[in-house]
Amino acid sequence: MSSRYPVVISGVTKGMGRAMALRFAELGHPVSGCGRSADRVAQVRDLLGPGHLVETVDVTDAGSVRRWARTTVSELGAPGLVIANAGAVHAQRPVWEVEPALFAEVMRVNVDGVHTMTHAFLPLLLTSGGTFVAVSSGWGRNPRHHLAAYSAAKFAVEGYVGAVAQEVPPHVKVFAIAPDSAVDTDMLATCLPEEHHTYPGPDEWARTAVDHLLHDLPHEPSGGGRSFPAPARQI
C-alpha cells in the first residue's frame, strides 16, 4: 500500500471532520468525505480541490453509504484508513425532557452511523489491509449528566468496537478513539455553551490527531478506550 493511501472520513462539513480532511489532504492523502448538507459539502469540495471526493451522504442511510464506498474505490482506490466521525448531540437537559425522537436520532447518527460505515468499508480493509477508527468520547467512558443519550451512544460505540476488534484478522486494526480533552466545535457549543471556547479549536487539534492516526495508532493493538494525544499548543 502506498504511504499516501486514500482516507475516508464521515462528517467532513464542519468541526473535527473538516479539520482532519484538510490536514490529510495537506499531507498528500486523497480524501473521501461525506456530509448531510449539500451546501457545506460543496464548500469542502471546493476547499479540497481536485483529487478528492466529497459526497452528500447521511450515514444513517446504509444504501447511501454503500454507494459512497463504491464511488470511493472507483475514483480514489481502496482506502487505507476509514474514520467514522459523524456525530450528533443535543443541548444539556434531564433525560425525562429528552423526547424519544431526539434520543433515537442521537443513537442513529452515533451508533447506526458507525455500523453503516463498518458494513460498507470494512470489507475493503479486509481485502487490502488498513485501519478503521470510530471517533468516541470521554463521555462514552465516564457518563455526563444531562447528556444521557450521547453518553449511551458513545458507550455503545466503545462496546461495538471492542467486539469488532476481536473479529478482524491481524492485517486490519479497529479502534474507538476519543479526543484527549474537548474540542471547540459546534457540537461542543451545543452542549457546553458557556465553556466551549476554552478548548482547542479543530484545526489546532487535527494537526496532532492526524499525525497520531498515521504514525502511532497502526502500531497499537485494536480495541476501544484509546485517546488522541493533547494538541501541541502554538506559542
Side-chain angles (χ1 to χ4, degrees):
M1 182 186 297
S2 167
S3 62
R4 295 293 183 266
Y5 48 76
V7 176
V8 171
I9 312 171
S10 63
V12 300
T13 56
K14 54 185 177 180
M16 291 161 49
R18 180 181 182 277
M20 285 192 290
L22 295 176
R23 181 59 175 161
F24 277 117
E26 181 183 356
L27 295 175
H29 289 266
V31 171
S32 177
C34 80
R36 289 194 290 189
S37 165
D39 289 344
R40 287 178 171 172
V41 161
Q43 292 170 5
V44 175
R45 186 181 293 133
D46 289 344
L47 284 172
L48 290 175
H52 306 281
L53 174 71
V54 189
E55 299 282 271
T56 303
V57 174
D58 182 340
V59 294
T60 68
D61 182 338
S64 294
V65 176
R66 286 195 299 270
R67 288 190 291 273
W68 173 38
R70 290 194 294 267
T71 305
T72 296
V73 173
S74 65
E75 296 197 13
L76 302 180
L81 173 62
V82 177
I83 305 170
N85 166 76
V89 72
H90 60 71
Q92 291 197 56
R93 66 190 68 171
V95 70
W96 54 87
E97 294 181 6
V98 177
E99 290 295 330
L102 178 57
F103 188 94
E105 173 68 8
V106 170
M107 297 298 287
R108 277 197 301 270
V109 175
N110 291 299
V111 183
D112 294 10
V114 171
H115 181 64
T116 61
M117 293 286 290
T118 306
H119 189 261
F121 286 100
L122 192 57
L124 305 176
L125 301 180
L126 293 173
T127 299
S128 56
T131 302
F132 184 95
V133 172
V135 175
S136 185
S137 168
W139 293 334
R141 300 162 191 173
N142 297 292
R144 170 84 181 200
H145 63 283
H146 291 172
L147 289 175
Y150 186 76
S151 294
K154 292 303 184 179
F155 264 88
V157 168
E158 293 280 345
Y160 177 89
V161 166
V164 175
Q166 299 175 56
E167 300 175 7
V168 295
H171 66 284
V172 176
K173 298 292 185 72
V174 179
F175 299 98
I177 184 167
D180 175 76
S181 69
V183 181
D184 185 12
T185 63
D186 289 351
M187 279 182 59
L188 191 70
T190 296
C191 57
L192 295 181
E194 302 301 324
E195 58 183 277
H196 67 92
H197 61 278
T198 66
Y199 294 99
D203 293 332
E204 177 185 353
W205 171 84
R207 299 188 70 85
T208 302
V210 165
D211 184 72
H212 183 67
L213 289 167
L214 290 175
H215 303 298
D216 300 329
L217 203 60
H219 303 292
E220 297 183 9
S222 291
R226 303 288 176 179
S227 295
F228 288 105
R233 304 307 298 261
Q234 300 296 315
I235 299 176

